[in-house]
Amino acid sequence: VIAIKDVICYKDHVVTAASAILKNFTSLYTATALQYLLDEDAIIIGRCNCDEFAMGSSNENSAYGAVKNAADETRVPGGSSGGSAVAVQANMCMLSLGTDTGGSVRQPADFCGIIGLKPGYGSISRYGLIAYASSFDQIGIFGKNTDDVRLLWEIMSQPDERDSTMHQRTRVKRNETVEKKKYKLATFSQAIQHKGLDKEIANTFITTINSLKANDFITDELALELFDYIVPAYYVLTTAEASSNLSRYDGIRYGYNAGEETDLEHFYCKNRSEGFGLEVKRRIMLGTFVLSTGYYDAYFAKAQQIRRLLVDKMEKIFDEYDAIIMPVSPSTAFKLGEKNDPVTTYLADIYTVLANLCGLSAIAIPLFSHSNNMPFGLQVMAKSGDEVTLLEISEMLMQQSITAEVA
């Protein structure tokens, strides 16, 4: 029994991207990843609210209202896939599909105390996924155990001729002796020492690293000099892509139509001003700015260069290490309405956007409970296409956590 985020197309069903500009729009076709699940007799129970066009980290930016965290209804569930996360958290379904452009599966999973998998870029077809930033977007999976999550990933990661960005890979079989293997893990000193990281989360993360070392795992702390450039580069590039992708919503062919046709420019302006929410308009304008004449080289080109340097750095790290471990978010789920400053909200993505910039596989696993009674976990990243290793390490970490609790 599976729920889907309201950005994944399902033929003859409404899909709105949680936006007034697509209110009551009915999809004409089914996303490939979803079709693969339907072919295996999956039951699609419904679609879930999200941040409008997947732009947000709290699920408060929706034309249909905010989603609330099932563990504490005064708090956010995370975003943008907050509805999909809460559906699993509250046992409304067994699994759900979200999308992850910069952490929109992993951060809600962390806030809701469940598993959230972002497969590597090109692992799952994006055909039928309403685009936010095409070189970042990836369909992801929410669940409560790694076997269920693995099953959905295996079903959905089949080839699709309609998505030219998909990698053609030979399937890797599961390592049945995962508990006997000692993985080589890395983390970043800038991630642990970041001033925005909650002290309790930081201490728990350090304790976890020490525990792994005590169990003969190689866990090295590395320096990532470009760490402070990750979030700015991400928002320059994603908003630029959003500006281009969302230009198709003009009210002429489909979507919201204000009904005032005095002239074409006024018609476009009226439709888009009334149809899009505040956060979407903010990102469209930012993206248009960084692509404009005189600013393209200063912002967009520089961000692409940083992205290339980060990709090269990650490739070198994965030549030596099996995975990278980091926190998922600087804090546990915050209060509804608490973060009104967009810059503060954007900076909260500091631990998740790296995987999207570099196309890595990444997962958030629920391991801990904060003194404020909210859950939080750990993020594991592996190279793109190595989801098997990612899931095996996650299972090992979760088993170790359970064993420690019992002891």
Side-chain angles (χ1 to χ4, degrees):
V1 179
I2 298 166
I4 61 175
K5 185 176 179 178
D6 189 21
V7 292
I8 298 172
C9 293
Y10 186 8
K11 187 176 181 180
D12 298 328
H13 291 76
V14 171
V15 58
T16 72
S19 178
I21 207 161
L22 280 175
K23 187 175 182 179
N24 297 324
F25 177 76
T26 301
S27 179
L28 304 177
Y29 57 93
T30 297
T32 299
L34 180 56
Q35 188 59 57
Y36 286 146
L37 295 179
L38 293 169
D39 292 343
E40 297 292 336
D41 296 327
I43 299 169
I44 309 304
I45 195 171
R47 61 191 172 98
C48 298
N49 195 5
C50 59
D51 283 301
E52 185 181 4
F53 283 98
M55 298 182 190
S57 303
S58 65
N59 219 138
E60 296 173 289
N61 303 318
S62 169
Y64 304 102
V67 174
K68 300 175 182 178
N69 195 309
D72 181 350
E73 293 189 7
T74 67
R75 296 179 183 268
V76 303
S80 63
S81 308
S84 297
V86 171
V88 173
Q89 178 193 31
N91 296 313
M92 299 176 187
C93 54
M94 298 169 70
L95 298 127
S96 66
L97 301 185
T99 61
D100 194 310
T101 305
S104 291
V105 165
R106 289 160 288 152
Q107 188 240 32
D110 189 59
F111 283 8
C112 293
I114 59 176
I115 297 169
L117 171 67
K118 183 205 88 72
Y121 187 78
S123 296
I124 294 176
S125 172
R126 290 182 298 108
Y127 178 79
L129 167 63
I130 294 176
Y132 162 18
S134 301
S135 72
F136 293 79
D137 297 340
Q138 185 61 72
I139 292 175
I141 305 161
F142 292 101
K144 289 194 171 181
N145 65 74
T146 53
D147 285 338
D148 285 352
V149 171
R150 178 192 297 271
L151 177 62
L152 251 65
W153 168 72
E154 289 178 344
I155 292 170
M156 293 193 297
S157 60
Q158 299 177 61
D160 181 17
E161 294 179 352
R162 290 168 293 193
D163 183 355
S164 62
T165 63
M166 281 201 72
H167 299 305
Q168 302 301 320
R169 303 189 184 95
T170 303
R171 286 188 177 276
V172 181
K173 293 184 179 179
R174 178 175 184 172
N175 178 9
E176 298 297 339
T177 59
V178 57
E179 68 280 357
K180 296 180 181 179
K181 182 174 179 181
K182 298 297 185 182
Y183 290 99
K184 194 173 182 182
L185 309 175
T187 189
F188 298 125
S189 55
Q190 289 88 346
I192 304 171
Q193 299 164 10
H194 195 271
K195 62 182 180 180
L197 181 61
D198 177 270
K199 288 184 179 179
E200 189 171 332
I201 294 176
N203 291 336
T204 303
F205 185 73
I206 293 169
T207 301
T208 301
I209 291 174
N210 292 334
S211 175
L212 289 168
K213 288 179 178 177
N215 283 281
D216 300 325
F217 285 89
I218 298 173
T219 308
D220 293 336
E221 190 174 311
L222 309 178
L224 184 61
E225 296 80 5
L226 293 170
F227 194 81
D228 290 338
Y229 294 91
I230 291 173
V231 172
Y234 167 81
Y235 275 99
V236 166
L237 296 174
T238 54
T239 55
E241 293 186 20
S243 173
S244 175
N245 279 329
L246 271 62
S247 64
R248 70 194 68 178
Y249 303 105
D250 54 18
I252 293 180
R253 290 157 290 185
Y254 52 82
Y256 179 79
N257 187 321
E260 297 182 22
E261 303 178 21
T262 53
D263 62 77
L264 190 60
E265 183 176 349
H266 179 266
F267 179 68
Y268 282 154
C269 184
K270 189 77 171 174
N271 290 342
R272 291 167 65 82
S273 295
E274 294 181 2
F276 287 134
L278 180 62
E279 182 60 29
V280 173
K281 287 186 281 193
R282 179 185 291 118
R283 297 196 191 194
I284 289 173
M285 288 189 288
L286 177 57
T288 303
F289 171 77
V290 300
L291 289 174
S292 62
T293 304
Y295 298 99
Y296 181 94
D297 290 335
Y299 294 100
F300 187 80
K302 289 292 184 184
Q304 288 284 40
Q305 290 169 355
I306 291 170
R307 189 179 196 181
R308 180 71 257 172
L309 291 170
L310 286 167
V311 169
D312 292 343
K313 177 72 172 179
M314 293 303 110
E315 287 178 354
K316 288 180 181 178
I317 290 173
F318 287 121
D319 284 341
E320 188 175 349
Y321 296 90
D322 296 301
I324 296 168
I325 55 173
M326 284 206 297
V328 185
S329 175
S331 68
T332 58
F334 47 88
K335 297 282 187 178
L336 286 159
E338 180 180 327
K339 293 193 175 182
N340 295 317
D341 175 21
V343 175
T344 303
T345 304
Y346 296 166
L347 289 174
D349 296 334
I350 191 164
Y351 297 115
T352 53
V353 298
L354 176 62
N356 301 84
L357 274 165
C358 301
L360 306 177
S361 310
I363 192 170
I365 51 176
L367 298 177
F368 314 112
S369 180
H370 198 276
S371 58
N372 63 11
N373 297 319
M374 296 305 294
F376 69 98
L378 193 70
Q379 179 180 200
V380 186
M381 293 186 290
K383 61 184 177 182
S384 181
D386 201 7
E387 286 83 4
V388 169
T389 297
L390 188 74
L391 289 162
E392 287 172 352
I393 293 173
S394 301
E395 181 66 21
M396 177 268 296
L397 290 169
M398 292 179 72
Q399 288 177 354
Q400 187 178 62
S401 176
I402 292 169
T403 303
E405 286 180 7
V406 171

